[in-house]
Amino acid sequence: MRKKASLQTILWLILLVCLSACAGKKQQKIALPADFKGPKELGRLYGVRITPEDNIFLYNEGARWLGVPHKLGGSTKRGVDCSGFVAIVYREIYGKRLARNSADMLRHDCKKIRRGKLREGDLVFFKTQRGGKRGVPNHVGIYLKNGRFIHASSSRGVIVSSLSEPYYTRTWLTGGRVK
């Protein structure tokens, strides 16, 4: 069973390298990090089934941050806040620089989208604090799939949560598709 699982992981990695090599006109070698996880391991970690259509690099980058504690204004593995986490992951995975706070991300970097239109990699915005301007978010995460998103929670650090949890249903503001 263990041999079959590692064979599947190797086949996934070969497929990813081949697809990446064919994606552009210039062929480039992709060096996978030593902590790169396969689809089954990532699926167990996130509670979703990872398929070839999913961005395995997004899931791997998120996995590297799981458990990092929350630190307001932080942007390292010693501590990170929600917008810092989103900005770092977006820069690493998509090569896009986003604003450093959730309100500016929504205002400058995104087109608003409804919850039912969310796709992997979209941003999810919440207003978790009372007061402040109406419609201005103070929390952001990255949508994965099946209602799940990854974010830096102020109480539990970087975690995966569900949009259907009462807290996130109550504080939901909007989705955002990065331009």
Side-chain angles (χ1 to χ4, degrees), residues 46-165:
Y46 285 100
V48 296
R49 184 171 171 263
I50 307 294
T51 68
E53 291 80 33
D54 295 319
N55 184 341
I56 197 165
F57 297 103
L58 171 62
Y59 287 90
N60 264 287
E61 185 63 23
R64 289 184 190 101
W65 287 85
L66 287 173
V68 170
H70 180 270
K71 180 180 180 188
L72 190 60
S75 59
T76 70
K77 299 262 176 99
R78 295 183 71 193
V80 68
D81 64 15
C82 64
S83 59
F85 169 71
V86 168
I88 290 165
V89 170
Y90 246 79
R91 187 181 66 238
E92 289 296 314
I93 300 305
Y94 300 105
K96 294 186 178 185
R97 293 203 178 275
L98 301 180
R100 184 53 179 86
N101 68 62
S102 57
D104 287 342
M105 281 180 186
L106 180 59
R107 186 178 318 125
H108 300 296
D109 301 324
C110 293
K111 174 187 163 204
K112 287 184 180 181
I113 56 171
R114 293 189 321 267
R115 188 185 312 214
K117 299 288 185 182
L118 288 170
R119 296 191 309 224
E120 178 184 85
D122 285 339
L123 303 186
V124 288
F125 294 94
F126 305 88
K127 185 167 175 32
T128 61
Q129 296 172 341
R130 295 183 196 270
K133 292 183 181 177
R134 186 170 181 235
V136 177
N138 65 330
H139 188 65
V140 63
I142 302 173
Y143 186 74
L144 299 169
K145 66 189 289 186
N146 299 343
R148 300 184 67 73
F149 67 103
I150 188 166
H151 62 119
S153 158
S154 60
S155 61
R156 298 189 302 166
V158 178
I159 59 171
V160 176
S161 297
S162 172
L163 290 175
S164 63
E165 292 174 33

